[in-house]
Amino acid sequence: MNYWLMKSEPDVYSIDDLKRDRNEIWDGVRNYQARNFLKTMAVGDMAFFYHSNTKPPGIAGLMKISKAMVVDPTQFDPTNKYYDPKSDPEEPRWHTVTVTYVETFAHYISLDQLKDTFTPDELQVVKRGNRLSVMPVAEAVAQRLLNLAAE
DNA sequence: GCCAACGTTGGC
DNA sequence: GCCAACGTTGGC
């Protein structure tokens, strides 16, 4: 079982939205490195829900991967902002996962706290200028995050 | 709202 | 295949 961190702007989709929806397709990722991580996710993996572009940015909760290798439907929808006319329905370019709500942390872990606790090597999200929206989290780091969240 | 970082596009 | 222009991300 692997741990991940996935970013979303709460104005667009927040952990409260996921709590309400229970399950959601994590659509709209259009970065190959992030997509490649999405494609390696397995059912049962856990992902930290990171709120980006908000004040303060940070980790808001936890979700679980409930379906792997989901074809992102938005790539074939011409009315969608994530429409990709170059994606071939026979060979879809963008795969993602379905996530299921697990919990909202009692203690929101702000980016400032993440920077105080982890080095950029331990947790890529604290790296300055980091724009990757999906990234792996090492088991030991994940455990420390879960401890922080419970404080 | 600004802007640094950086991925993508497209002319050559 | 290079690289300038452009667009997006995301912290501040």
Side-chain angles (χ1 to χ4, degrees):
Chain A
M1 192 267 279
N2 291 303
Y3 287 94
W4 307 90
L5 181 147
M6 296 161 78
K7 296 181 186 173
S8 178
E9 300 187 19
D11 286 350
V12 178
Y13 197 79
S14 72
I15 190 134
D16 289 336
D17 295 321
L18 182 60
K19 183 177 186 178
R20 178 198 62 215
D21 298 339
R22 303 287 302 147
N23 305 288
E24 187 63 288
I25 295 180
W26 200 266
D27 60 16
V29 172
R30 294 292 179 270
N31 169 283
Y32 288 102
Q33 199 184 348
R35 181 208 62 181
N36 291 343
F37 285 133
L38 287 168
K39 287 173 80 169
T40 67
M41 290 181 183
V43 172
D45 283 2
M46 306 296 278
F48 294 93
F49 195 131
Y50 182 90
H51 280 179
S52 64
N53 238 317
T54 188
K55 282 205 288 192
I59 297 175
L62 192 66
M63 52 197 168
K64 182 182 286 198
I65 310 306
S66 48
K67 199 165 177 216
M69 282 297 279
V70 176
V71 174
D72 184 338
T74 62
Q75 68 194 305
F76 302 123
D77 175 3
T79 68
N80 192 281
K81 76 179 275 203
Y82 299 113
Y83 176 57
D84 182 354
K86 293 183 193 157
S87 183
D88 175 2
E90 300 298 314
E91 198 65 40
R93 181 179 290 187
W94 305 105
H95 285 80
T96 185
V97 295
T98 296
V99 295
T100 298
Y101 176 82
V102 174
E103 67 170 315
T104 302
F105 289 152
H107 175 83
Y108 181 84
I109 313 172
S110 71
L111 180 58
D112 281 345
Q113 190 177 3
L114 292 173
K115 285 176 173 170
D116 288 344
T117 313
F118 300 100
T119 67
D121 281 345
E122 287 175 318
L123 192 62
Q124 294 179 61
V125 79
V126 308
K127 234 176 251 169
R128 182 164 174 271
N130 171 69
R131 292 168 53 192
L132 192 61
S133 67
V134 177
M135 64 194 75
V137 176
E139 165 81 28
V141 172
Q143 288 305 329
R144 288 164 67 194
L145 284 171
L146 292 171
N147 290 338
L148 282 179
E151 276 175 11

